[in-house]
Amino acid sequence: MWPAIWMMPSNKDFGGWPASGELDIMESLGHEPGKVYGTIHYGNPYAHTGENYTLPNNQKFSDDFHTFSIEWAPGQIQWFIDGILYSTKNDWFSKSSNSTDDNPYPAPFNRDFYLQLNLAVGGNWPGNPDSTTDWSVPKQMAVDYVRVYRYNGQYADPGPRPGKNLGSGWSWVREEGSAWSVEGNPKAMKITTQEGGFTRPTKPNNILLRNPAPSETGDFTVSTKIKFNATVNFEYAGLIMYQDDNNYVSLGRCFSANNQIRFTEGRNGGATDKNYADPITPQDIYLKIEKKGSKYNGYYSIDGKTWILLTDSFNISLNNPKIGIFTRKLGPASKTAEFTEFKWNDIQISF
Protein backbone atom coordinates (compact mmCIF):
# COMPACT_ATOMS: atom_id res chain seq x y z
CA MET A 1 0.00 0.00 0.00
CA TRP A 2 1.10 3.57 -0.71
CA PRO A 3 -0.99 6.23 1.08
CA ALA A 4 -0.10 9.83 0.30
CA ILE A 5 -1.06 13.44 0.96
CA TRP A 6 0.44 15.57 -1.75
CA MET A 7 0.14 18.72 -3.87
CA MET A 8 0.50 19.51 -7.54
CA PRO A 9 0.53 22.88 -9.38
CA SER A 10 -2.88 24.28 -10.30
CA ASN A 11 -1.35 25.66 -13.50
CA LYS A 12 1.85 24.45 -15.11
CA ASP A 13 3.30 27.94 -15.42
CA PHE A 14 6.87 26.68 -15.80
CA GLY A 15 6.18 23.65 -17.98
CA GLY A 16 5.54 19.95 -17.46
CA TRP A 17 6.64 17.90 -14.50
CA PRO A 18 8.94 18.45 -12.70
CA ALA A 19 9.61 22.07 -13.76
CA SER A 20 6.34 23.27 -12.17
CA GLY A 21 6.94 21.27 -9.00
CA GLU A 22 5.41 18.62 -6.76
CA LEU A 23 5.08 18.87 -2.97
CA ASP A 24 4.63 15.64 -1.01
CA ILE A 25 3.31 16.29 2.52
CA MET A 26 3.24 12.62 3.49
CA GLU A 27 4.00 9.34 1.79
CA SER A 28 4.07 5.97 3.54
CA LEU A 29 5.02 2.53 2.27
CA GLY A 30 3.27 -0.61 3.45
CA HIS A 31 6.50 -2.46 4.15
CA GLU A 32 7.76 0.44 6.34
CA PRO A 33 4.74 0.93 8.64
CA GLY A 34 6.55 3.17 11.12
CA LYS A 35 8.12 5.59 8.61
CA VAL A 36 6.81 8.48 6.47
CA TYR A 37 8.48 10.71 3.90
CA GLY A 38 8.21 14.41 3.02
CA THR A 39 9.63 15.44 -0.35
CA ILE A 40 9.70 18.14 -3.02
CA HIS A 41 10.26 17.44 -6.72
CA TYR A 42 11.44 20.17 -9.07
CA GLY A 43 14.03 21.04 -11.66
CA ASN A 44 14.67 20.33 -15.33
CA PRO A 45 16.78 18.31 -15.23
CA TYR A 46 14.82 16.47 -12.57
CA ALA A 47 15.83 16.79 -8.95
CA HIS A 48 14.20 16.04 -5.61
CA THR A 49 15.02 16.42 -1.94
CA GLY A 50 13.34 15.25 1.24
CA GLU A 51 13.59 13.66 4.66
CA ASN A 52 11.82 10.89 6.54
CA TYR A 53 10.50 10.43 10.06
CA THR A 54 10.26 7.18 12.04
CA LEU A 55 7.99 6.69 15.04
CA PRO A 56 9.75 5.68 18.27
CA ASN A 57 9.43 2.33 20.01
CA ASN A 58 8.50 0.38 16.85
CA GLN A 59 5.11 2.09 16.62
CA LYS A 60 3.15 1.94 13.38
CA PHE A 61 1.30 4.80 11.75
CA SER A 62 -1.66 2.44 11.35
CA ASP A 63 -2.01 2.09 15.14
CA ASP A 64 -3.54 5.53 15.69
CA PHE A 65 -4.33 8.89 14.09
CA HIS A 66 -1.43 11.26 13.45
CA THR A 67 -1.23 14.80 12.09
CA PHE A 68 0.86 15.41 8.99
CA SER A 69 1.42 19.06 8.16
CA ILE A 70 3.57 21.56 6.34
CA GLU A 71 4.21 25.25 6.83
CA TRP A 72 4.87 26.79 3.44
CA ALA A 73 6.40 30.26 3.31
CA PRO A 74 8.29 32.08 0.54
CA GLY A 75 11.61 30.34 0.17
CA GLN A 76 11.00 27.75 2.89
CA ILE A 77 8.89 24.63 3.44
CA GLN A 78 8.79 22.76 6.77
CA TRP A 79 7.35 19.30 7.51
CA PHE A 80 5.82 18.24 10.85
CA ILE A 81 4.59 14.96 12.37
CA ASP A 82 2.28 15.45 15.37
CA GLY A 83 3.71 18.95 15.71
CA ILE A 84 7.34 17.76 15.59
CA LEU A 85 9.45 19.52 12.96
CA TYR A 86 11.55 16.97 11.07
CA SER A 87 12.47 18.65 7.79
CA THR A 88 13.17 22.13 6.43
CA LYS A 89 13.87 22.82 2.75
CA ASN A 90 14.81 26.14 1.19
CA ASP A 91 16.93 25.19 -1.83
CA TRP A 92 15.31 24.25 -5.15
CA PHE A 93 15.08 25.52 -8.71
CA SER A 94 12.96 25.45 -11.85
CA LYS A 95 13.95 25.73 -15.49
CA SER A 96 11.51 25.88 -18.39
CA SER A 97 12.30 23.73 -21.41
CA ASN A 98 12.63 26.75 -23.72
CA SER A 99 14.99 28.65 -21.40
CA THR A 100 18.71 28.45 -20.70
CA ASP A 101 18.36 30.17 -17.31
CA ASP A 102 16.60 29.09 -14.15
CA ASN A 103 13.21 30.67 -13.44
CA PRO A 104 13.49 33.30 -10.68
CA TYR A 105 13.71 31.75 -7.21
CA PRO A 106 11.56 30.58 -5.40
CA ALA A 107 9.94 29.10 -8.53
CA PRO A 108 8.24 26.68 -8.82
CA PHE A 109 6.95 26.85 -5.22
CA ASN A 110 5.56 30.35 -5.61
CA ARG A 111 2.33 29.34 -7.36
CA ASP A 112 -1.02 27.87 -6.32
CA PHE A 113 -1.02 24.11 -5.74
CA TYR A 114 -4.03 21.83 -5.22
CA LEU A 115 -4.27 19.16 -2.54
CA GLN A 116 -4.95 15.48 -3.09
CA LEU A 117 -5.18 12.45 -0.82
CA ASN A 118 -5.03 8.94 -2.20
CA LEU A 119 -4.23 5.33 -1.41
CA ALA A 120 -2.27 3.71 -4.21
CA VAL A 121 -1.76 -0.02 -4.59
CA GLY A 122 1.68 -1.06 -5.80
CA GLY A 123 3.98 1.04 -7.94
CA ASN A 124 7.70 1.30 -8.58
CA TRP A 125 8.50 2.58 -5.10
CA PRO A 126 6.62 0.18 -2.78
CA GLY A 127 6.55 -2.67 -5.28
CA ASN A 128 3.51 -4.52 -6.53
CA PRO A 129 1.32 -6.79 -4.37
CA ASP A 130 2.61 -10.33 -4.05
CA SER A 131 1.94 -13.51 -2.09
CA THR A 132 2.77 -11.75 1.20
CA THR A 133 0.02 -9.14 0.76
CA ASP A 134 -2.83 -9.74 3.22
CA TRP A 135 -6.19 -9.18 1.51
CA SER A 136 -8.25 -10.58 4.42
CA VAL A 137 -8.92 -7.07 5.76
CA PRO A 138 -9.93 -3.93 3.82
CA LYS A 139 -7.17 -1.51 2.86
CA GLN A 140 -7.93 2.08 3.75
CA MET A 141 -6.44 5.45 4.62
CA ALA A 142 -8.66 6.88 7.37
CA VAL A 143 -8.79 10.71 7.35
CA ASP A 144 -10.27 12.59 10.29
CA TYR A 145 -9.92 16.14 8.94
CA VAL A 146 -8.10 18.41 6.49
CA ARG A 147 -7.41 21.98 7.52
CA VAL A 148 -5.78 24.75 5.52
CA TYR A 149 -4.56 27.98 7.11
CA ARG A 150 -3.46 31.17 5.40
CA TYR A 151 -0.98 33.58 6.96
CA ASN A 152 -2.69 36.90 7.60
CA GLY A 153 0.43 39.06 7.78
CA GLN A 154 3.11 40.19 5.36
CA TYR A 155 5.22 37.37 3.97
CA ALA A 156 8.96 37.90 4.13
CA ASP A 157 10.93 38.25 0.92
CA PRO A 158 12.35 34.81 0.03
CA GLY A 159 15.76 36.28 -0.71
CA PRO A 160 18.24 34.53 -3.01
CA ARG A 161 18.43 30.79 -3.47
CA PRO A 162 20.71 29.46 -0.71
CA GLY A 163 24.18 28.48 -1.80
CA LYS A 164 23.70 29.79 -5.33
CA ASN A 165 25.47 33.15 -5.25
CA LEU A 166 29.05 33.09 -6.50
CA GLY A 167 31.64 35.47 -5.18
CA SER A 168 32.90 38.29 -7.36
CA GLY A 169 34.92 37.23 -10.40
CA TRP A 170 33.69 33.64 -10.71
CA SER A 171 31.85 32.34 -13.78
CA TRP A 172 30.64 28.96 -15.05
CA VAL A 173 31.27 27.16 -18.32
CA ARG A 174 28.08 25.21 -19.18
CA GLU A 175 26.48 25.71 -15.79
CA GLU A 176 24.03 23.06 -14.59
CA GLY A 177 22.34 24.76 -11.67
CA SER A 178 21.09 21.57 -10.03
CA ALA A 179 24.59 20.11 -9.71
CA TRP A 180 26.42 22.64 -7.54
CA SER A 181 26.08 24.48 -4.25
CA VAL A 182 28.17 26.43 -1.77
CA GLU A 183 27.83 25.27 1.83
CA GLY A 184 29.40 25.49 5.27
CA ASN A 185 31.76 27.86 6.97
CA PRO A 186 34.44 28.14 5.71
CA LYS A 187 32.65 27.87 2.39
CA ALA A 188 32.92 24.65 0.42
CA MET A 189 32.02 24.36 -3.27
CA LYS A 190 30.20 21.09 -3.99
CA ILE A 191 29.98 19.98 -7.62
CA THR A 192 28.31 16.76 -8.75
CA THR A 193 29.94 14.86 -11.60
CA GLN A 194 28.15 14.79 -14.94
CA GLU A 195 28.75 12.95 -18.17
CA GLY A 196 31.36 14.50 -20.43
CA GLY A 197 34.98 14.71 -21.53
CA PHE A 198 37.07 17.31 -23.34
CA THR A 199 37.88 14.91 -26.19
CA ARG A 200 34.25 13.81 -26.51
CA PRO A 201 31.25 15.49 -28.18
CA THR A 202 29.69 16.10 -24.74
CA LYS A 203 32.02 18.49 -22.91
CA PRO A 204 32.20 18.67 -19.10
CA ASN A 205 29.59 20.86 -17.39
CA ASN A 206 30.11 23.10 -14.37
CA ILE A 207 33.66 24.26 -14.96
CA LEU A 208 34.08 27.08 -12.43
CA LEU A 209 36.60 29.73 -13.49
CA ARG A 210 37.98 33.15 -12.68
CA ASN A 211 40.81 35.34 -13.86
CA PRO A 212 43.90 35.10 -11.65
CA ALA A 213 43.40 37.57 -8.83
CA PRO A 214 44.63 40.19 -9.28
CA SER A 215 44.79 39.99 -13.10
CA GLU A 216 48.11 38.37 -13.86
CA THR A 217 49.73 37.09 -17.03
CA GLY A 218 53.03 36.09 -15.40
CA ASP A 219 53.94 33.11 -13.25
CA PHE A 220 51.66 31.92 -10.44
CA THR A 221 50.39 28.87 -8.57
CA VAL A 222 46.85 27.62 -8.00
CA SER A 223 45.92 25.09 -5.33
CA THR A 224 42.88 23.58 -3.63
CA LYS A 225 41.83 20.89 -1.18
CA ILE A 226 39.47 18.22 -2.57
CA LYS A 227 37.24 15.75 -0.81
CA PHE A 228 36.47 13.21 -3.54
CA ASN A 229 36.55 9.43 -3.38
CA ALA A 230 36.94 8.40 -7.03
CA THR A 231 36.13 4.71 -7.40
CA VAL A 232 34.28 4.06 -10.69
CA ASN A 233 33.47 5.26 -14.20
CA PHE A 234 36.40 7.62 -14.76
CA GLU A 235 35.21 9.95 -12.02
CA TYR A 236 37.49 12.95 -12.13
CA ALA A 237 37.71 16.18 -10.11
CA GLY A 238 40.42 18.77 -9.79
CA LEU A 239 42.11 21.99 -10.83
CA ILE A 240 42.22 23.46 -14.31
CA MET A 241 44.08 26.20 -16.16
CA TYR A 242 41.61 26.85 -18.97
CA GLN A 243 41.97 28.72 -22.25
CA ASP A 244 39.13 26.88 -23.99
CA ASP A 245 37.77 23.33 -24.38
CA ASN A 246 40.66 22.44 -26.69
CA ASN A 247 43.56 23.99 -24.77
CA TYR A 248 44.07 23.60 -21.03
CA VAL A 249 46.09 21.97 -18.25
CA SER A 250 44.29 20.03 -15.52
CA LEU A 251 45.28 18.11 -12.40
CA GLY A 252 42.87 15.92 -10.50
CA ARG A 253 41.96 12.81 -8.61
CA CYS A 254 40.72 10.18 -11.04
CA PHE A 255 39.72 6.54 -11.20
CA SER A 256 40.17 4.44 -14.32
CA ALA A 257 41.67 1.01 -13.66
CA ASN A 258 43.27 2.23 -10.42
CA ASN A 259 43.00 5.24 -8.16
CA GLN A 260 45.12 7.88 -9.81
CA ILE A 261 46.35 11.43 -9.72
CA ARG A 262 45.98 12.52 -13.33
CA PHE A 263 47.90 15.39 -14.93
CA THR A 264 46.54 16.34 -18.37
CA GLU A 265 47.49 18.66 -21.20
CA GLY A 266 44.78 19.56 -23.68
CA ARG A 267 46.22 20.82 -26.95
CA ASN A 268 44.28 21.59 -30.12
CA GLY A 269 41.47 19.21 -29.16
CA GLY A 270 43.69 16.30 -28.17
CA ALA A 271 44.76 15.27 -24.69
CA THR A 272 47.88 13.82 -23.10
CA ASP A 273 47.42 12.15 -19.70
CA LYS A 274 50.15 11.47 -17.16
CA ASN A 275 48.93 9.11 -14.45
CA TYR A 276 50.40 8.52 -10.99
CA ALA A 277 49.37 6.31 -8.08
CA ASP A 278 47.22 8.16 -5.55
CA PRO A 279 48.83 7.26 -2.19
CA ILE A 280 46.42 9.45 -0.20
CA THR A 281 43.06 8.07 -1.33
CA PRO A 282 40.40 8.04 0.06
CA GLN A 283 41.50 10.86 2.39
CA ASP A 284 41.23 14.47 1.24
CA ILE A 285 44.00 15.57 -1.09
CA TYR A 286 45.63 18.94 -1.82
CA LEU A 287 46.52 19.65 -5.46
CA LYS A 288 48.58 22.47 -6.97
CA ILE A 289 49.46 23.61 -10.50
CA GLU A 290 52.48 25.88 -10.93
CA LYS A 291 52.81 28.09 -14.02
CA LYS A 292 56.32 29.20 -15.04
CA GLY A 293 56.10 30.85 -18.41
CA SER A 294 54.77 28.11 -20.68
CA LYS A 295 55.83 25.33 -18.31
CA TYR A 296 53.27 23.75 -15.97
CA ASN A 297 54.20 21.60 -12.97
CA GLY A 298 51.85 19.51 -10.85
CA TYR A 299 52.03 18.82 -7.12
CA TYR A 300 50.03 16.94 -4.49
CA SER A 301 50.04 17.02 -0.70
CA ILE A 302 48.41 15.39 2.29
CA ASP A 303 48.41 18.55 4.43
CA GLY A 304 48.77 21.51 2.03
CA LYS A 305 52.23 22.30 3.42
CA THR A 306 54.61 19.59 2.20
CA TRP A 307 54.24 19.25 -1.58
CA ILE A 308 55.34 16.36 -3.79
CA LEU A 309 56.33 17.32 -7.34
CA LEU A 310 55.03 15.08 -10.12
CA THR A 311 57.62 13.55 -12.43
CA ASP A 312 56.23 15.04 -15.62
CA SER A 313 55.56 18.61 -16.68
CA PHE A 314 53.89 20.20 -19.71
CA ASN A 315 55.05 22.98 -22.01
CA ILE A 316 52.12 24.70 -23.68
CA SER A 317 51.40 28.34 -24.49
CA LEU A 318 47.96 29.10 -23.11
CA ASN A 319 46.52 32.51 -23.94
CA ASN A 320 45.75 34.18 -20.58
CA PRO A 321 44.28 31.04 -19.03
CA LYS A 322 41.60 31.30 -16.38
CA ILE A 323 42.01 29.30 -13.20
CA GLY A 324 39.39 27.07 -11.63
CA ILE A 325 37.95 23.68 -10.76
CA PHE A 326 36.00 20.99 -12.57
CA THR A 327 34.39 17.56 -12.29
CA ARG A 328 33.25 15.01 -14.82
CA LYS A 329 32.50 11.32 -15.26
CA LEU A 330 32.11 8.70 -17.96
CA GLY A 331 29.36 6.29 -16.93
CA PRO A 332 26.07 6.16 -15.06
CA ALA A 333 27.12 6.89 -11.46
CA SER A 334 27.26 10.43 -10.05
CA LYS A 335 29.36 11.63 -7.13
CA THR A 336 29.93 15.00 -5.48
CA ALA A 337 33.36 16.60 -5.08
CA GLU A 338 33.89 19.14 -2.31
CA PHE A 339 36.46 21.90 -2.92
CA THR A 340 37.88 24.10 -0.15
CA GLU A 341 40.95 26.32 0.37
CA PHE A 342 41.12 27.49 -3.24
CA LYS A 343 44.27 29.65 -3.45
CA TRP A 344 46.09 31.78 -5.98
CA ASN A 345 49.75 32.33 -4.97
CA ASP A 346 48.76 31.09 -1.49
CA ILE A 347 46.08 33.80 -1.22
CA GLN A 348 42.73 32.14 -0.47
CA ILE A 349 39.84 33.12 -2.73
CA SER A 350 36.29 32.60 -1.53
CA PHE A 351 33.69 30.91 -3.71
Side-chain angles (χ1 to χ4, degrees), residues 24-213:
D24 299 326
I25 300 171
M26 182 281 287
E27 292 182 280
S28 178
L29 306 179
H31 61 277
E32 296 177 332
K35 181 185 291 186
V36 294
Y37 297 81
T39 312
I40 49 175
H41 304 260
Y42 53 90
N44 188 12
Y46 167 65
H48 71 280
T49 184
E51 307 291 341
N52 59 73
Y53 178 89
T54 301
L55 288 171
N57 303 320
N58 295 319
Q59 298 177 71
K60 301 178 181 179
F61 279 100
S62 59
D63 292 339
D64 201 351
F65 282 95
H66 296 270
T67 59
F68 308 95
S69 56
I70 62 166
E71 291 184 0
W72 179 4
Q76 178 174 280
I77 303 170
Q78 295 183 308
W79 284 256
F80 298 81
I81 299 293
D82 298 330
I84 300 172
L85 173 66
Y86 76 94
S87 179
T88 299
K89 299 300 177 186
N90 56 16
D91 185 3
W92 56 73
F93 75 100
S94 171
K95 182 182 290 184
S96 300
S97 58
N98 59 351
S99 175
T100 58
D101 298 320
D102 289 356
N103 296 309
Y105 181 82
F109 299 109
N110 58 350
R111 295 292 191 270
D112 289 341
F113 277 54
Y114 64 88
L115 181 68
Q116 50 192 348
L117 297 82
N118 73 280
L119 175 59
V121 179
N124 289 336
W125 192 14
N128 291 328
D130 58 24
S131 59
T132 66
T133 307
D134 180 9
W135 297 105
S136 64
V137 295
K139 306 302 181 184
Q140 64 178 13
M141 177 172 67
V143 179
D144 186 19
Y145 62 83
V146 176
R147 295 172 182 162
V148 179
Y149 302 87
R150 183 184 299 274
Y151 184 61
N152 62 3
Q154 179 63 46
Y155 278 114
D157 187 287
R161 180 183 175 194
K164 294 298 181 180
N165 296 301
L166 290 174
S168 175
W170 291 102
S171 61
W172 290 105
V173 176
R174 291 179 292 275
E175 178 190 3
E176 192 64 70
S178 63
W180 72 269
S181 64
V182 179
E183 300 176 8
N185 190 17
K187 297 299 184 184
M189 172 61 70
K190 296 185 176 182
I191 307 178
T192 301
T193 58
Q194 295 174 280
E195 188 80 11
F198 287 110
T199 59
R200 294 176 175 243
T202 301
K203 305 302 181 185
N205 288 353
N206 283 352
I207 306 171
L208 180 60
L209 300 173
R210 63 174 298 134
N211 288 317

Side-chain angles (χ1 to χ4, degrees), residues 251-301:
L251 174 65
R253 170 171 276 177
C254 180
F255 180 88
S256 54
N258 300 289
N259 295 96
Q260 296 176 343
I261 297 169
R262 174 168 290 183
F263 198 25
T264 301
E265 175 195 86
R267 185 192 295 264
N268 299 325
T272 300
D273 296 324
K274 300 294 184 179
N275 298 315
Y276 313 86
D278 185 346
I280 300 174
T281 189
Q283 288 80 17
D284 299 356
I285 189 171
Y286 289 82
L287 297 173
K288 179 167 70 174
I289 300 177
E290 177 184 58
K291 178 182 183 297
K292 290 186 174 181
S294 60
K295 182 180 180 180
Y296 292 85
N297 295 313
Y299 298 80
Y300 70 91
S301 171

